[in-house]
Amino acid sequence: MGSLFLLIGILPLALAGHDYRQALSKSILFFEAQRSGYLPRNQRVQWRGHSGLNDGKISGVDLVGGYYDAGDNVKFGLPMAFTITMMSWSVIEYGKQMASSGELGHAIAAVKWGTDYLIKAHPQPYVLYGEVGDGNTDHYCWQRPEDMTTSRAAYRIDPSHPGSDLAGETAAAMAAASIVFRRYNPSYSAELLKHAYQLFDFADKYRGKYDSSITVAQKYYRSVSGYADELLWAAAWLYKATNNKYYLNYLGNNGNSLGGAGWAMTEFGWDVKYAGVQTLVAKFLMQGKAGHNTAIFRKYQEKAEFFMCACLGKGTRNVQRTPGGLIFRQRWNNMQFVTSASFLLTVYSDYLSSAGKFLRCASGNVAPSELLSFAKSQVDYILGDNPRATSYMVGYGNNFPRKVHHRAASIVSVKHNPSFVSCRGGYATWFSRKASDPNLLTGALVGGPDAYDNFADQRDNYEQTEPATYNNAPLLGTLARLHGGNRGYNQLLPVELPSLKPIASQPKHAPKPGTNPAPASSATANPISIVQKVTTSWISKGKTYYRYSTKVTNKSSKTLKNIKLSISKLYGPLWGLTKSGDFYFFPAWIKSLAAGKTVEFVYIHSSSPAEVSVSSYALV
């Protein structure tokens, strides 16, 4: 019976009619079209140019870079931070699947483009810039980013003008991204974590809604839900990034007062994080990490499962769907809720499968495979399995939106025609055109159909044809999971991201984790390989420490004895070897190293990897 159940769970993916790998590739490419600042040499979206090069200048701070949120030219901090958090969560959960599709490097580069900007936006512990540009003046104009003449004023929060939701979401983004970069760039990971600590402290100590301080954001990204969920969201990500029980206990101690254990939600997005928090806490519970918080964490899990059941239509208060089966929340950019919900359903399905549990709904127990199947149905709808046979991802399939509400895509590229496009002239010449966009906004996920599956591909139909970064970000993980199929992995175990070539560019001062091969002692290749990697990092008293794992492997076909290692530039404690004089040896109980066998040792210090080499050995 178990084998039959497993087969049934695999069949929908095996018979998938969509190219999830292609969709994933295009979804990531969209973020390159949204880049602000100096574009890199490896920029793949060639019709875009440099823009926003003076951002922050009038405020005396460098705010060049980051992402435009949607079809306009404003950089809104709250949805940008949520985008980075969800991209990072996608990589953390499904980085292996992204690597198998060749997209992990691009996904990590997309995360870093955002975090590089967020670091700039946080120049002091209690100062965070949350917006560059003004939505009112920006919406009065229709200009490509390269021609902007609108206000580029910068708006910030500080102790006198707090914004716990903005600071909390940015802390979550920094913490989540620190996990992504832990293996590839440990010093950058530690820098992100430092910002996450400070931002969480800022959010918790100086409480208030960000749009009461940055009032120009109210018309566009109003904080309807408040900031309580953001504090829990940030704490959950900091615990996930550090295993520091302070944040675990924060979730437990504040679960009732801040609503994590009390609010049952039917939506998840940039403004409402409760379902996301509850899903993460349910994972901590299933991992056996709750400790004395077990009772309240079970309440979090109950609310997480309320959300899952509501999406499946098996709860006491279910999510509305269109006749074609799409989750429907609101007319304006409904797709953001579809992709966010689909991601939570996907990861929760894997958590339940790994724990050997079922989802408990009002209608009865639900198998984990049913959550994944429903998430798949939502993705398939997006990609064209809907009453209109329309793909809502630009550039995927044959029938997709071609008159997207997007300034850069709808105006001829500055590379082809550098003639200046004026503020109002852009409306007259380009916005009102009946023709398709001159630039293909590949991978953009538009707002989508209405409650009855109707859709009008018109540039002025911003509710349905405008894309957004936070539409795509959660979709990355779901697409990677669907492409990867069922491969018997345990999602409750720590996920170790695969090697990355090339990795995201590193600052010159960064430690260089990864391989540290022993030099050959002669012209003959050394039969012993030495590979090092960073397994974790943390900050203590202002200093960043790294834990390095070093594996010594016998690559030859013979047994080796009397292996003597030389280790230099080691500035901390070491476990797993015995030191004698200036050299290190295996413990006394390891007499030899057979062919193909490996011995591991670890050490901790606050620097780049130590230099490990083989001084001598004997062949048996």
Side-chain angles (χ1 to χ4, degrees), residues 564-579:
K564 183 163 59 174
L565 301 176
S566 175
I567 303 179
S568 60
K569 298 184 180 179
L570 173 64
Y571 310 113
L574 179 149
W575 295 270
L577 296 179
T578 300
K579 187 175 184 182

Side-chain angles (χ1 to χ4, degrees), residues 242-256:
T242 65
N243 285 320
N244 187 327
K245 289 191 176 179
Y246 169 82
Y247 300 104
L248 190 75
N249 293 331
Y250 187 96
L251 291 163
N253 296 336
N254 295 281
N256 287 319

Side-chain angles (χ1 to χ4, degrees), residues 305-319:
E305 299 207 339
F306 178 95
F307 175 85
M308 307 298 165
C309 296
C311 290
L312 295 176
K314 296 178 179 290
T316 55
R317 180 161 57 94
N318 295 323
V319 172

Side-chain angles (χ1 to χ4, degrees), residues 255-566:
N256 287 319
S257 62
L258 295 179
W263 282 102
M265 307 303 297
T266 58
E267 68 174 276
F268 172 57
W270 61 263
D271 183 46
V272 184
K273 308 296 174 10
Y274 281 115
V277 175
Q278 291 153 355
T279 300
L280 283 174
V281 173
K283 181 179 184 179
F284 302 154
L285 181 65
M286 286 186 263
Q287 288 175 314
K289 295 181 176 181
H292 68 272
N293 296 300
T294 297
I296 194 164
F297 277 18
R298 283 178 178 152
K299 293 182 179 179
Y300 276 90
Q301 185 177 32
E302 288 174 4
K303 301 305 183 293
E305 299 207 339
F306 178 95
F307 175 85
M308 307 298 165
C309 296
C311 290
L312 295 176
K314 296 178 179 290
T316 55
R317 180 161 57 94
N318 295 323
V319 172
Q320 180 184 346
R321 295 189 207 170
T322 69
L326 186 72
I327 289 173
F328 188 81
R329 175 71 187 176
Q330 66 181 34
R331 292 184 311 171
W332 192 330
N333 190 16
N334 179 66
M335 209 60 85
Q336 62 181 302
F337 302 107
V338 178
T339 59
S340 294
S342 296
F343 179 83
L344 292 188
L345 287 160
T346 299
V347 295
Y348 202 69
S349 169
D350 283 337
Y351 299 161
L352 290 173
S353 295
S354 300
K357 296 181 180 297
F358 289 86
L359 174 67
R360 295 158 298 181
C361 293
S363 63
N365 288 343
V366 177
S369 59
E370 192 168 335
L371 280 78
L372 185 60
S373 293
F374 182 72
K376 177 181 178 296
S377 74
Q378 299 300 292
V379 173
D380 289 348
Y381 184 109
I382 290 170
L383 297 180
D385 292 359
N386 54 66
R388 290 180 49 85
T390 296
S391 165
Y392 293 104
M393 178 184 289
V394 177
Y396 181 91
N398 297 318
N399 182 22
F400 54 82
R402 298 177 186 273
K403 302 173 188 176
V404 182
H405 185 89
H406 190 276
R407 286 158 175 75
S410 66
I411 301 174
V412 65
S413 170
V414 70
K415 303 286 186 67
H416 293 122
N417 185 352
S419 299
F420 175 73
V421 176
S422 67
C423 169
R424 300 304 292 176
Y427 271 111
T429 305
W430 296 102
F431 179 79
S432 59
R433 287 175 80 236
K434 301 302 180 184
S436 298
D437 295 335
N439 308 308
L440 190 65
L441 194 63
T442 303
L445 186 59
V446 299
D450 67 12
Y452 304 97
D453 300 300
N454 298 314
F455 177 80
D457 184 14
Q458 298 169 355
R459 198 166 292 115
D460 61 353
N461 181 18
Y462 52 83
E463 291 185 346
Q464 295 189 326
T465 63
E466 186 171 19
T469 56
Y470 44 90
N471 293 7
N472 281 58
L475 186 61
L476 303 187
T478 308
L479 287 170
R481 174 65 176 84
L482 293 175
H483 168 68
N486 291 322
R487 298 184 179 179
Y489 50 87
N490 188 335
Q491 213 66 12
L492 294 182
L493 295 175
V495 177
E496 183 175 319
L497 294 175
S499 60
L500 181 65
K501 295 181 181 180
I503 65 172
S505 58
Q506 300 178 343
K508 293 180 180 179
H509 63 274
K512 297 178 181 178
T515 60
N516 186 13
S521 57
S522 65
T524 305
N526 198 319
I528 299 174
S529 75
I530 297 176
V531 177
Q532 303 199 73
K533 69 177 180 180
V534 174
T535 57
T536 190
S537 65
W538 64 95
I539 299 175
S540 177
K541 297 181 179 179
K543 183 178 288 188
T544 303
Y545 291 88
Y546 306 99
R547 180 186 185 275
Y548 292 92
S549 166
T550 306
K551 293 183 178 180
V552 181
T553 303
N554 180 2
K555 300 189 299 180
S556 74
S557 59
K558 297 183 178 181
T559 299
L560 303 179
K561 293 183 66 175
N562 303 326
I563 298 175
K564 183 163 59 174
L565 301 176
S566 175

